[in-house]
Amino acid sequence: MLEDFKNFIAKGNVMDMAIGVVMASAFTAIVNSLVDDIIMPFIGLIMGDTDFTNIVLNIAGAEIGIGNFIQAVVTFLIIAIVLFFVIRSVAAFKNKFDKAEEVEEDDKPSAEELLAEIRDELRKNRLNQN
């Protein structure tokens, strides 16, 4: 059983997942800082306040704190927009890099073209020797 556990842990998928979780938590800190420290102050300038947590509805003597929900929705939407642009930028960068590699590969002659050039050079050398 211990050997099975070692094999399970040593598989690439588990290690990839673990690395993904660590990277995601680090990326979460970056996105949260971007939202809280950079984007939300600009929204605060436009709207006057970015903290919705104090919004409360009084219905029949019961206080319903919808402010936390509104705050979570606004934060989610901002994070979704930021991630959309980050993913879009990464995809554009990757496409640009892939296209550059394709161009480099297209510039290289194929094996058949190289062999044909070698054949032609050998023929030319034989004719020049005769």
Side-chain angles (χ1 to χ4, degrees), residues 8-118:
F8 172 75
I9 293 298
K11 285 186 179 177
N13 293 342
V14 174
M15 296 305 289
D16 290 344
M17 185 176 68
I19 291 169
V21 168
V22 170
M23 293 298 293
S25 65
F27 189 70
T28 299
I30 292 170
V31 171
N32 286 339
S33 176
L34 176 66
V35 170
D36 294 338
D37 301 331
I38 297 173
I39 295 174
M40 288 303 271
F42 284 117
I43 292 175
L45 288 173
I46 295 168
M47 296 178 60
D49 191 14
T50 59
D51 186 17
F52 301 109
T53 57
N54 297 328
I55 298 174
V56 177
L57 284 178
N58 289 317
I59 299 176
E63 287 188 356
I64 301 172
I66 63 168
N68 287 332
F69 177 74
I70 294 171
Q71 186 72 37
V73 169
V74 168
T75 302
F76 169 78
L77 291 174
I78 292 170
I79 289 172
I81 290 169
V82 168
L83 288 177
F84 171 76
F85 286 118
V86 167
I87 291 170
R88 191 172 179 191
S89 299
V90 168
F93 178 75
K94 186 175 183 270
N95 286 340
K96 192 177 205 180
F97 184 74
D98 289 344
K99 286 181 183 175
E101 282 185 349
E102 287 176 13
V103 168
E104 288 178 8
E105 289 176 6
D106 290 345
D107 290 343
K108 295 179 184 177
S110 68
E112 291 82 14
E113 292 171 331
L114 289 172
L115 289 172
E117 284 181 33
I118 293 170

